[in-house]
Amino acid sequence: QVQLVESGGGLVQAGGSLRLSCAASGRAFVGKAMGWFRQAPGKEREFVAAISWGGGTTYYADSVKGRFTISRDNAKNTVYLQMNSLKPEDTAVYYCAAGPNTRTMRDRVDADYWGQGTQVTVSS
């Protein structure tokens, strides 16, 4: 069974940092691009970042460039999202996802497998 399990969300003050982790089962992870998406209340789900299987290709939403960093450890079947200089507008449920390639995730806001989400709240 395919599973993606996020952790690391929480409450942080503006300007602070959080690191999200996503642990994946083997089938979901091997050969797959991985990504992070988020959805704020009353808004559509949006793309945040994506990374290719080998880690050589990454994409970021303009709103998080220079503040967020996506990385992966294939030996641990885990993908990370380091979030620095957090802003109140970053408040959302963050979802980990696995898909065929990074460009599909970025352009279609779509993936094959999704985690259950973790809440990130940034206070002003």
Side-chain angles (χ1 to χ4, degrees):
Q1 188 172 355
V2 173
Q3 276 194 320
L4 299 172
V5 181
E6 303 97 334
S7 61
L11 173 63
V12 64
Q13 288 189 332
S17 299
L18 283 174
R19 189 175 83 153
L20 305 183
S21 299
C22 173
S25 61
R27 175 179 282 184
F29 201 77
V30 176
K32 294 285 198 300
M34 299 295 294
W36 289 95
F37 299 77
R38 66 187 182 187
Q39 187 166 18
K43 295 187 177 181
E44 293 186 352
R45 183 174 295 181
E46 65 174 354
F47 168 80
V48 175
I51 186 167
S52 60
W53 165 249
T57 299
T58 56
Y59 290 114
Y60 295 93
D62 288 342
S63 59
V64 307
K65 277 181 184 175
R67 300 188 298 122
F68 291 10
T69 302
I70 189 171
S71 62
R72 66 191 296 164
D73 185 338
N74 290 345
K76 296 182 179 179
N77 282 10
T78 302
V79 63
Y80 306 97
L81 185 68
Q82 178 66 44
M83 305 186 294
N84 298 329
S85 302
L86 283 161
K87 305 174 182 180
E89 50 263 44
D90 293 319
T91 295
V93 177
Y94 283 71
Y95 297 90
C96 171
N101 60 73
T102 52
R103 189 165 291 185
T104 296
M105 290 185 173
R106 182 194 67 182
D107 296 343
R108 300 184 184 177
V109 194
D110 195 15
D112 294 335
Y113 304 103
W114 296 88
Q116 82 288 349
T118 185
Q119 177 70 46
V120 171
T121 303
V122 184
S123 62
S124 57

